Amino acid sequence: MSTLLLNPIGSLITMDEALGDRRDAAIVVRDHAIAWVGDASALPTEYAEVDQRLDLRDHVVLPGLVNTHHHMFQCLTRVMAQDGELFHWLTTLYPIWLNLRGEMVYTAAQTAMAELILSGCTTTSDHLYLYPNDVRLEDTIRAAQEIGIRFHPTRGSMSVGRSQGGLPPDALVEPDEAAILHDTRRLIETYHDAGRYAMLRIGVAPCSPFTVSIDLMRESAALARSYGVRLHTHLAENRSDIEYSLGQFHLRPGDYAESVGFLGGDVWHAHCVQLDEGEIDQFARTGTGVCHCPSSNMRLASGIAPIRRMLDRGVRVGLGVDGSASNDSGHLLNEARQAMLLQRVAGDPDPARLSAREALRLATIGGAQVLGRDDIGQIAPGLAADLIAFRLDDIGFAGAQHDPLAALVFCGSARVDLSIINGRIIVQDGHLLTIDLPRQVEQHNRIARMLLDTR
């Protein structure tokens, strides 16, 4: 058993109600889990001798951030369709994505994961819904296992092409829905780990109401529940999404989701910008989770998700960077900042705002709850050793030493100085240790040029 001691810690944000925030603190990590948390002056004598000690007196330490929605392959097509809303943006990019290959998806995923880790993310989901050519979900799983991030990949799908009333071109969809379900079963049986501290869990995620059939939605829900895994999709992202749902199904998105089994404590939906008051109550009543993607929603002019009202009614909400072709960045701490500011932009009175602590909660314990995990998102004994640290003496925090938590959210988007995932040091002194980052970026850019040349 290896023991890692973080002592002293200048400022500690646990996101745990009992432990609270502390100055001059210490943490003991044994193997994959947190063994002890408290004031440095109260450190038990049994931890006088440890395998490794890190001095973090100039740092703020907090739980690793949790990203609940991403499309990592999109890192290859950043800043495309710069002025389009969702449907125009998608139809512009679909022909390019048709030429994706497995090695491209692997490279893009590793780049996306590196960017997330350097922003403080230690757990991420990914929604891979395109499988042209030789693309497989294993391409992203391999990337995660090599870089060392805690991973929730979801087996997405698109089965309804343009000729059947869907949005994507027919050449990009998987028309054989039985084959989709068969591959989903294979992935769950091969890779899903339901155990505590699991590094890999599979989800089931038909892409959206405008890309899959009603039957596939229902069958996906039944399959996921037969294995006890989680369900995910896009919902109510913009007005066109609402119009499609009303036109095709004669139902609001919330009622459509309910009709196909996509409401419940094992479900989370991305975006939900256009949920109405009844749907917010519907989500709260059923325990359905929401992933808020503020930068992407602004980028695509989708609107402002009613996050304050969701939280006030008890809806579980986490944060997501979304795909890096509709956000163009994978900085999860920045998403917390954007979430906070976006709830204030309309100039509503105080009750309609989001505090810095609430924004950080969305990025930590909120995301953990959305993914159905009780072993991450906080710093407390018995939880997974997913810890991050930022330098407080960085220029971006100058003048904000009196409130380190607020500094993380209000000040400039910082780069993590230390990241520990599952007890393993992944970033130290600001350097990612598990991959050669300059080589990774060079390879990514080469592949991105190659993909764009296929247009």
Side-chain angles (χ1 to χ4, degrees), residues 206-213 217 233-236 241 244-245 249 256:
C207 182
S208 63
F210 51 85
T211 58
V212 300
S213 71
M217 291 290 286
T233 192
H234 298 87
L235 198 75
D241 206 344
Y244 185 92
S245 185
F249 313 123
Y256 171 75

Side-chain angles (χ1 to χ4, degrees), residues 300-314:
L300 297 178
S302 297
I304 303 173
I307 298 305
R308 179 74 270 164
R309 299 203 299 279
M310 292 182 190
L311 293 172
D312 287 346
R313 297 189 204 176

Side-chain angles (χ1 to χ4, degrees), residues 296-343:
S296 177
N297 295 341
M298 288 187 281
R299 157 68 145 100
L300 297 178
S302 297
I304 303 173
I307 298 305
R308 179 74 270 164
R309 299 203 299 279
M310 292 182 190
L311 293 172
D312 287 346
R313 297 189 204 176
V315 177
R316 292 179 296 112
V317 181
L319 291 181
V321 299
D322 201 10
S324 288
S326 67
N327 178 337
D328 310 289
S329 170
H331 199 296
L332 189 54
L333 184 60
N334 188 56
E335 291 306 308
R337 183 175 192 267
Q338 297 283 46
M340 178 189 70
L341 296 177
L342 197 56
Q343 292 303 300

Side-chain angles (χ1 to χ4, degrees), residues 365-383:
I365 189 171
Q369 290 173 343
V370 164
L371 294 182
R373 301 199 67 140
D374 62 1
D375 55 354
I376 60 173
Q378 297 171 286
I379 295 175
L383 298 189

Side-chain angles (χ1 to χ4, degrees), residues 218-412:
R218 287 177 175 151
E219 290 297 319
S220 295
L223 185 153
R225 291 187 173 116
S226 72
Y227 283 98
V229 303
R230 301 185 80 74
L231 286 160
H232 183 51
T233 192
H234 298 87
L235 198 75
E237 185 168 351
N238 70 359
R239 294 187 191 92
S240 298
D241 206 344
I242 302 294
E243 291 167 3
Y244 185 92
S245 185
L246 291 172
Q248 291 292 117
F249 313 123
H250 309 293
L251 295 169
R252 288 273 315 176
D255 290 333
Y256 171 75
E258 184 173 41
S259 74
V260 294
F262 266 71
L263 293 183
D266 56 352
V267 183
W268 86 103
H269 293 277
H271 301 292
C272 298
V273 175
Q274 301 294 337
L275 292 187
D276 65 16
E277 298 301 313
E279 288 165 326
I280 293 173
D281 288 337
Q282 197 174 26
F283 273 47
R285 184 176 66 253
T286 57
T288 306
V290 169
C291 172
H292 179 36
C293 303
S295 293
S296 177
N297 295 341
M298 288 187 281
R299 157 68 145 100
L300 297 178
S302 297
I304 303 173
I307 298 305
R308 179 74 270 164
R309 299 203 299 279
M310 292 182 190
L311 293 172
D312 287 346
R313 297 189 204 176
V315 177
R316 292 179 296 112
V317 181
L319 291 181
V321 299
D322 201 10
S324 288
S326 67
N327 178 337
D328 310 289
S329 170
H331 199 296
L332 189 54
L333 184 60
N334 188 56
E335 291 306 308
R337 183 175 192 267
Q338 297 283 46
M340 178 189 70
L341 296 177
L342 197 56
Q343 292 303 300
R344 303 178 180 207
V345 74
D348 291 331
D350 286 345
R353 295 178 180 174
L354 197 70
S355 71
R357 184 173 293 276
E358 286 176 304
L360 199 56
R361 189 181 191 281
L362 296 182
T364 53
I365 189 171
Q369 290 173 343
V370 164
L371 294 182
R373 301 199 67 140
D374 62 1
D375 55 354
I376 60 173
Q378 297 171 286
I379 295 175
L383 298 189
D386 288 4
L387 310 164
I388 56 173
F390 294 88
R391 293 197 66 95
L392 282 171
D393 56 0
D394 185 80
I395 189 171
F397 295 145
Q401 305 292 310
H402 61 283
D403 193 344
L405 184 149
L408 287 170
V409 183
F410 275 91
C411 298

